[in-house]
Amino acid sequence: MSGFTTITGTPARLMLDNVDTDQLIPARFMSRPRSEGYGPVLLHDLREEEPQARLPEGAQILIAGRNFGCGSSREAAVYALVDFGIRAVLAPSFGDIFSSNAVNNGLLPARIPAQVLEGLSGEITVDLQGARIIHAGGETPFDIDPVWQTKLLNGWDDIDLTAQRGDAIARFKAAHHPRAPWSAPART
C-alpha cells in the first residue's frame, strides 16, 4: 500500500448512522479472491435501499454517519472501501475494530464532529501530516494516534512498522539470549 500526506477532492456522502461491516460488504461476496477486487461490491445491498449509498466513481474521501464500520471484525469491509478508491473516511465515530483494520490497510478513519461534517460542501483537503481537514469554512483538526499517523504517511502495516526497529531488535536479542539461553530458537 502507498502512503499519503494529503488528499484533495469532493467527498462522497453516506450520512447514515450505524453502517456496519455487513452492509459495507455482504458475506456472500467474501468468497471471491481479493485479487478480483472488492470495490464493485461495496455497499451492494444497501445501494438498492438507499440512493445515497451509490457512491460516485473516483471519490477518495467519504463523509459518513455515526458509528461507521460497526459490527463484525470483517476486514473485507475495509478492502471494499480501499478497492473502490476511498483513502479517508470522515465520521463522528467508528467501530473500534474497523478503525484498526482501516489503518493497517492504508485507510484513514478521521473523527470529525457531526456539525462540521454537515456543513462541508465542495472540495476539501485531508491533511494527514497536519492532522486537519481544510475546507471552505476554515480548518478542522482531528486526533490521530501518532503510530497510526506514521503508518499511514509511510504506507506501512504492522510488519513494516516492526521492521523499522530491526537494529534495536537485533541488539536486544544479542544481549538477552546469553542471559536466557532457553529463549533463543533451537537450531536443528
Side-chain angles (χ1 to χ4, degrees):
M1 83 187 138
S2 60
F4 69 92
T5 11
T6 61
I7 301 168
T8 300
T10 302
R13 291 184 169 274
L14 182 61
M15 297 308 293
L16 301 173
D17 292 339
N18 303 311
V19 172
D20 65 37
T21 55
D22 299 328
Q23 291 170 306
L24 289 169
I25 183 168
R28 68 185 179 278
F29 295 113
M30 292 173 28
S31 61
R32 67 194 292 169
R34 172 83 198 277
S35 60
E36 288 181 15
Y38 286 2
V41 296
L42 174 66
L43 300 165
H44 185 275
D45 296 348
L46 195 58
R47 287 184 296 204
E48 300 302 315
E49 303 165 21
E50 291 287 342
Q52 66 176 299
R54 296 181 195 122
L55 303 180
E57 293 289 328
Q60 292 187 293
I61 305 166
L62 175 63
I63 295 176
R66 288 177 175 79
N67 203 25
F68 186 82
C70 59
S72 68
S73 60
R74 188 174 292 185
E75 192 169 18
V78 174
Y79 298 161
L81 287 160
V82 170
D83 290 354
F84 187 82
I86 303 294
R87 295 298 310 264
V89 179
L90 316 180
S93 58
F94 294 92
D96 290 337
I97 297 171
F98 174 86
S99 294
S100 60
N101 284 340
V103 170
N104 283 328
N105 286 282
L107 176 68
L108 170 66
R111 284 184 171 83
I112 307 292
Q115 63 272 20
V116 172
L117 293 174
E118 290 165 8
L120 292 179
S121 63
E123 190 173 270
I124 65 171
T125 297
V126 176
D127 176 9
L128 178 59
Q129 184 75 47
R132 63 191 176 148
I133 307 299
I134 303 166
H135 48 88
E139 297 180 4
T140 301
F142 59 87
D143 290 330
I144 184 166
D145 178 283
V147 173
W148 283 12
Q149 186 178 34
T150 297
K151 289 168 70 173
L152 289 166
L153 286 167
N154 292 290
W156 294 343
D157 62 14
D158 287 337
I159 294 170
D160 296 320
L161 185 66
T162 302
Q164 302 309 306
R165 305 285 299 167
D167 291 342
I169 293 167
R171 284 192 304 277
F172 171 82
K173 286 170 60 176
H176 179 71
H177 291 319
R179 291 190 313 259
W182 50 266
S183 70
R187 295 206 164 104
T188 58

